[in-house]
Amino acid sequence: MSKCEYLLMQGISKSYDGTQALRGVTFSADLGEVHALVGENGAGKSTLIKILSGAVRHDTGQILLEGKPVSLDSPLHAHRAGIRAVYQEFSLVPHLSVTENILLGQMPRRRFHWWVDWAAAHRQAQAILDELGFTGIDVRTPVSQLSVSYQQMVEIAKAVAGRPRILILDEPSAVLSQEELKRLFALMKQLKAASTLILYISHRLNEVFEVADRITVLKDGEIVGTVRPQDTDEGQLIRMMVGRTLGEFYPKREAKIGGEVLAVRGLSREGAFTDITFSLAHGEILGLFGLVGSGRTQVARSIFGAEPPDAGEIRLEGKLVRLRSPREALQAGIALLTEDRKRDGLVLSCSIRDNISLATLPQVTRWGFLDIGRMDARVQRQVQDLAIRPPQINRLVRQLSGGNQQKVALAKWLLTQAKVLILDEPTRGVDVATKVDIYRIMSDLADQGMGILLISSELPEILGMSDRVLVMREGRLVGEFSRAQASEERLLACAAGLLQ
Ligand SMILES: Nc1ncnc2c1ncn2[C@@H]1O[C@H](COP(=O)(O)OP(=O)(O)OP(=O)(O)O)[C@@H](O)[C@H]1O
Ligand SMILES: [Mg+2]
């Protein structure tokens, strides 16, 4: 090493009861750089940054800042050392307002110290959001009522409000739209210029190439290497990450599109979306694109019976249905993979087995008894197909890495044998190799006649997998493109209201 870098993590090992997450990792990074960490799901990225932010204790090794050993045994210690993290899992306090979350522990007080100056607090929080360019958030709203992307912006604002030396962003882009991502990148540039070290974790390699000064690859708890973007390319990086080259990235097959399976007419819900009309055929993958806040998720939730619409009708194979709850939707044959796996996707305190089988119990019940053998075999197969790691079905979902949690959520719906499968951001937080697996499974399901509505903010994914693409903007459908007509520029322009 030529000179002493600001951060040095030396010989770091960590095991979680039995799982060796990190094996003697030595990692260094310097102020004024964006240093990306990449690797497969479960490679140890989050564990490494959690050790730095004091959220997790390491078993061996030491951490040095400016060449001096420091002990970061608690988040408070890390905080004092100028380290702030935005975690993959949200850590906001749901029932508190945006303001309280951003200013947690540093609320402005009036004369008597217990008397919070609310007007000043809201102004201060608003100013922080404004400065970051994160608009459209009412600082008085409880965080639990915000969409996940707004929650993510609040997380980032909270971290940046502390003016950190080291800012850690673990998969921040997974829930942000193109527009917000641009703002985040601009913000990162400013922070970098002000000599902040930014550790950036992402599964989207194009992003990593755009923002990183250096990229460190982790695999199975070890460092494979550190490279500069200009000296490498995506292919080489993927080989370093997964140890092999990947086949066709979007294994989309020529679709055998059948009759209409789902028809939505004039669907409206006050304050969310207006007059949504479209149809979906058996065997079709229909993309639904739009900027964050355009209403895509609400439409999905309405079709799934989670938020019944005020007006309009839904037909399933020609039959009018009135779905007043997700249970009714499931019984009718509609399944939804939500964008927020923590809120309504998974039960973190239950095992992989219980989570995956939750939605499919009726199918493995015989004469009222649960056929455990059959259930386990089905769960086991999903675990294999999706390469869920570690592949032990008794493992609690809480103990899995972020990407593996997402795979469990997906597996649950793949087993339901629904007629219509709605996927809201299905590959969020999932590594490149697994993405390809998920796309392959989507293709298989469509082949078997399932109608799939794919909601995604990742343009390459929408373009790569959809037979047809709908675009939403401010609660309305504003465009429809065939697979041949759709292009990045067109979809973006349409979603932004620049194209008629
Ligand atoms: N609380 C925990 N208890 C038990 N094992 C855990 C826990 N947290 C993580 N692990 C295990 O440690 C390993 C590394 O996980 P980590 O979360 O660091 O991966 P990651 O690289 O961040 O993956 P992803 O891309 O999916 O977020 C995985 O095998 C995971 O199952
Ligand atoms: Mg992680």
Side-chain angles (χ1 to χ4, degrees), residues 16-17 19 21 39-48 88 170-171 203 389-390 395 398-404 429:
Y16 297 99
D17 40 45
T19 313
E40 288 181 290
N41 294 132
K45 305 177 296 291
S46 297
T47 303
L48 186 66
Q88 204 169 3
D170 193 352
E171 285 284 343
H203 286 293
R389 295 274 130 71
R395 214 17 105 146
R398 184 192 306 291
Q399 300 172 343
L400 300 182
S401 76
N404 280 295

Side-chain angles (χ1 to χ4, degrees), residues 102-124:
I102 292 179
L103 301 177
L104 215 60
Q106 40 187 16
M107 296 281 271
R109 308 276 166 172
R110 285 228 263 236
R111 233 167 352 129
F112 306 109
H113 64 100
W114 63 86
W115 201 343
V116 173
D117 186 345
W118 281 104
H122 289 317
R123 266 200 313 277
Q124 208 171 316

Side-chain angles (χ1 to χ4, degrees), residues 261 280-283 316-317 319 331-335 416-421 449-452:
V261 58
L280 171 68
H282 281 288
L316 206 57
E317 292 180 320
K319 269 215 319 273
Q331 274 163 357
I334 302 178
T416 57
Q417 298 173 345
K419 294 176 188 142
V420 173
L421 178 61
M450 199 183 264
I452 298 179

Side-chain angles (χ1 to χ4, degrees), residues 163-286:
R163 308 239 170 256
R165 289 312 322 260
I166 301 180
L167 175 65
I168 300 166
L169 300 169
D170 193 352
E171 285 284 343
S173 60
V175 296
L176 296 181
S177 70
Q178 213 83 4
E179 196 60 25
E180 292 147 355
L181 197 58
K182 255 193 261 155
R183 290 200 201 112
L184 176 63
F185 287 176
L187 171 67
M188 284 164 64
K189 239 192 211 137
Q190 281 173 26
L191 291 171
K192 195 169 104 172
S195 250
T196 311
L197 162 60
I198 301 169
L199 297 179
Y200 189 83
I201 300 179
S202 174
H203 286 293
R204 301 190 191 162
L205 298 183
N206 54 343
E207 252 167 40
V208 166
F209 274 93
E210 188 180 337
V211 297
D213 298 296
R214 282 189 294 175
I215 307 168
T216 290
V217 182
L218 271 167
K219 181 168 171 53
D220 300 329
E222 285 174 288
I223 297 221
V224 181
T226 297
V227 290
R228 289 177 188 279
Q230 60 269 31
D231 303 333
T232 184
D233 57 40
E234 288 202 15
Q236 190 196 357
L237 212 54
I238 289 173
R239 269 196 308 282
M240 288 171 80
M241 285 164 59
V242 304
R244 64 189 158 93
T245 21
L246 296 178
E248 183 57 59
F249 206 82
Y250 295 105
K252 172 92 184 96
R253 279 190 291 272
E254 201 51 52
K256 298 187 298 276
I257 295 186
E260 182 179 84
V261 58
L262 175 75
V264 172
R265 297 263 169 280
L267 210 65
S268 298
R269 184 179 163 85
E270 180 82 42
F273 52 86
T274 314
D275 198 18
I276 302 294
T277 298
F278 69 89
S279 75
L280 171 68
H282 281 288
E284 184 180 34
I285 301 180
L286 176 62

